[in-house]
Amino acid sequence: SILGETSRTITLTGINFTVFHRERPVGGTFAAPCGDSLQGRFVEADLDRTPTVIVASSREPHGIVGQNLPGHRPNKPIEFPWTVSVTDPLSLDIVTITKRCFCRWKADISWVSGDKSGELRVDNGGKGYPVVGGEGVPSFMEGNGRWDRFNGASGPLGGE
């Protein structure tokens, strides 16, 4: 969540991702999805592309992550600059997707307010956020009390 501390507005000017790739260990991937679709304002970044690219976003408070679903209005993309204030905060979900990456990611959201500027770091307390794609390794999804094999390259693996 991003909001101002005073009546002065803050203008978010962009988001930049840093991805630290690692060699994937031997093994497989396992997914145990739960819950419904993620809704809200979001950016969805593809970690397999260099540089990392935002492939989807929504400025709508009821935007749906992953796709434009039938019966729902299409997501209107987030465009920077984006202005927030103490009375108009931004709750932003950052979603990352990958097929091949075994990595950790961090993001920096740049901002300006009056004569001040800086970056808001999203980095899990300095550790980054781990993520692994399922392409090229055995992948399994939990369902009905058992682990079933699925195609990890096109399956629901990703991370936040």
Side-chain angles (χ1 to χ4, degrees):
S1 294
I2 304 169
L3 65 127
E5 295 177 345
T6 67
S7 60
R8 179 179 281 177
T9 61
I10 299 170
T11 302
L12 307 176
T13 57
I15 185 168
N16 183 46
F17 289 86
T18 305
V19 181
F20 305 94
H21 295 268
R22 299 170 39 194
E23 186 174 327
R24 187 187 335 220
V26 175
T29 58
F30 293 82
C34 62
D36 203 353
S37 60
L38 181 62
Q39 293 185 343
R41 293 179 175 136
F42 70 88
V43 295
E44 183 175 342
D46 184 346
L47 302 181
D48 289 331
R49 295 173 66 179
T50 304
T52 299
V53 174
I54 294 176
V55 294
S57 68
S58 179
R59 65 180 179 205
E60 301 285 329
H62 301 290
I64 298 174
V65 174
Q67 61 186 349
N68 292 326
L69 298 174
H72 294 277
R73 292 184 312 193
N75 292 323
K76 292 182 181 176
I78 287 180
E79 297 173 354
F80 292 101
W82 183 282
T83 303
V84 299
S85 68
V86 94
T87 58
D88 187 21
L90 172 62
S91 178
L92 181 68
D93 290 306
I94 299 175
V95 178
T96 58
I97 59 172
T98 180
K99 292 180 181 176
R100 298 176 299 279
C101 187
F102 178 65
C103 52
R104 291 186 177 271
W105 66 267
K106 299 178 181 183
D108 292 303
I109 301 172
S110 52
W111 60 269
V112 295
S113 180
D115 61 350
K116 296 182 179 185
S117 64
E119 289 184 334
L120 173 64
R121 176 148 286 174
V122 180
D123 68 355
N124 193 23
K127 297 180 285 190
Y129 292 92
V131 64
V132 61
E135 186 174 272
V137 296
S139 298
F140 302 89
M141 184 176 299
E142 192 276 330
N144 297 323
R146 65 176 204 233
W147 291 97
D148 293 319
R149 194 119 187 206
F150 80 106
N151 179 357
S154 61
L157 293 180
E160 181 184 334

